[in-house]
Amino acid sequence: AAKGERRGTCRGFEASMDAAAQEKNRLEQDLRAAVREGQLAVHYQPIVDLQTGAVECYEALLRWQHPGRGAVPPDVFVPLAEEMGLIDQIGRFVLASACRAAMGWPEHVKVAVNVSPLQFRNGNLLSTVINALSSSGLPAERLELEITEAVLMEKGPRPAAIIRNLRAFGIGISLDDFGTGYSSLSYLLNYPFTKIKIDKSFILNLQEEPNSRAVIRAVIGLGRSLGLTVAAEGIEREIERDYLRGEGCTQGQGYLFGKAEAATTAHGKETRAA
Ligand code: C2E
Ligand code: MG
Ligand code: MG
Ligand code: MG
């Protein structure tokens, strides 16, 4: 009986592993189809000047409306796309869409695009970016690329050289999710960043956590003394906005100002506000 039970447990485990593997397999097939059939869309979330409230930038955020499952979050399908080798193709689509969309906005409004570490590995990021700029006509100064520390941890001189080249074209470079990784301060000296984005986990805890406020204040001070723009993501409440504004944070992003929306809607809002 004991042996049978053990086997039963074991079978149960294998069965659930199978189910998970099958589920992942299905999602992968669906993602391939989504890319082929154009189910991926790029939406745009406003980033405002915290002092004036004026929109200065929109962040391009991928959306997948699955025909059966509904919305699948990018935290789920972007890692999958990376694993499947699809992120280059998707990255090209996002860059092209974002540059084209920004051409429809007022000239002072920029567009920020997230770039996966894998896009640095395959050697064609620079040409992809230049292509997106030239075919849309968007000036390089209106494009910002958001990277995380994972990019900087890639071995060798490649990411550093690519980042310097992008910057030399006039493209802005933002360090995204700051405070969640190793946040080595030497990164800030060795790479030509133009912006630091404080991760939303710190903003979420701002009210309850004196330690979150300490980190926020330190990062704002550090960024400003290095001459960088400091942005905070995940601002949902006025009290958070007021605190960050008071501490001298440059830009804010969050549901308080607006969620990501299709380009036409985002543009309509911007022109009404202007
Ligand atoms: P991220 O680059 O840090 O983007 C900010 C995330 O915070 C977005 O989640 C945005 O919707 C969310 N957010 C903004 N304001 C608030 C708020 O007030 N409250 C809360 N709770 N959340 C807020 P989203 O769109 O789900 O994207 C998640 C992550 O997926 C992004 O984090 C980024 O790492 C990745 N991602 C999205 N689009 C792309 C893309 O085109 N390429 C790549 N490589 N990654 C992308
Ligand atoms: Mg980002
Ligand atoms: Mg972020
Ligand atoms: Mg993130």
Side-chain angles (χ1 to χ4, degrees):
K3 200 177 174 194
E5 264 167 39
R6 262 206 310 280
R7 242 196 350 245
T9 311
C10 194
R11 261 206 306 276
F13 178 69
E14 276 170 13
S16 71
M17 279 300 287
D18 265 14
Q22 272 172 23
E23 159 67 6
K24 188 176 172 203
N25 200 1
R26 262 197 300 274
L27 200 61
E28 284 177 355
Q29 284 173 6
D30 288 356
L31 183 55
R32 235 182 268 286
V35 171
R36 213 170 40 231
E37 292 161 18
Q39 290 167 19
L40 297 186
V42 184
H43 283 200
Y44 299 89
Q45 186 181 28
I47 302 178
V48 307
D49 178 325
L50 269 185
Q51 302 303 322
T52 67
V55 175
E56 298 202 310
C57 184
Y58 286 98
E59 178 173 4
L61 293 165
L62 264 171
R63 294 293 177 256
W64 177 17
Q65 193 61 35
H66 187 287
R69 302 165 192 258
V72 182
D75 285 327
V76 171
F77 73 82
V78 168
L80 208 58
E82 291 176 335
E83 222 177 284
M84 294 167 68
L86 286 176
I87 198 65
D88 266 322
Q89 188 185 348
I90 293 176
R92 277 196 298 277
F93 162 73
V94 176
L95 273 161
S97 306
C99 291
R100 215 179 316 113
M103 285 299 284
W105 304 335
E107 270 176 30
H108 66 277
V109 178
K110 299 183 183 189
V111 67
V113 176
N114 293 287
V115 179
S116 156
L118 293 193
Q119 290 175 270
F120 280 82
R121 236 180 251 178
N122 307 326
N124 46 20
L125 179 62
L126 193 62
S127 60
T128 298
V129 171
I130 303 299
N131 271 338
L133 289 173
S134 59
S135 51
S136 63
L138 189 76
E141 289 71 20
R142 289 184 60 194
L143 177 64
E144 292 177 355
L145 299 182
E146 299 196 356
I147 64 174
T148 60
E149 285 171 65
V151 170
L152 311 179
M153 293 177 70
E154 297 262 319
K155 290 276 183 301
R158 282 262 302 282
I162 296 168
I163 289 168
R164 269 192 286 277
N165 274 321
L166 290 163
R167 186 67 202 110
F169 272 98
I171 295 158
I173 309 289
S174 305
L175 184 50
D176 204 354
D177 301 344
F178 191 76
T180 56
Y182 291 90
S183 300
S184 165
L185 300 182
S186 64
Y187 292 148
L188 294 176
L189 300 178
N190 296 333
Y191 296 85
F193 289 110
T194 49
K195 186 189 287 189
I196 302 176
K197 296 187 79 176
I198 305 174
D199 190 71
K200 60 175 172 291
S201 57
F202 298 100
I203 315 306
L204 231 61
N205 294 329
L206 177 160
Q207 255 185 306
E208 304 78 27
E209 268 295 328
N211 287 341
S212 287
R213 289 198 293 279
V215 171
I216 290 169
R217 270 201 309 277
V219 174
I220 293 172
L222 180 66
R224 291 188 64 118
S225 14
L226 292 171
L228 307 176
T229 300
V230 182
E233 50 178 36
I235 303 176
E236 297 184 357
R237 293 172 283 191
E238 283 173 6
I239 192 162
E240 295 158 352
R241 177 201 59 198
D242 295 345
Y243 177 78
L244 290 157
R245 186 195 271 159
E247 292 298 331
C249 188
T250 337
Q251 293 183 333
Q253 173 180 8
Y255 299 162
L256 180 65
F257 310 109
K259 292 191 175 183
E261 293 178 50
T264 44
T265 327
H267 167 54
K269 264 211 181 112
E270 167 62 20
T271 40
R272 270 204 303 281

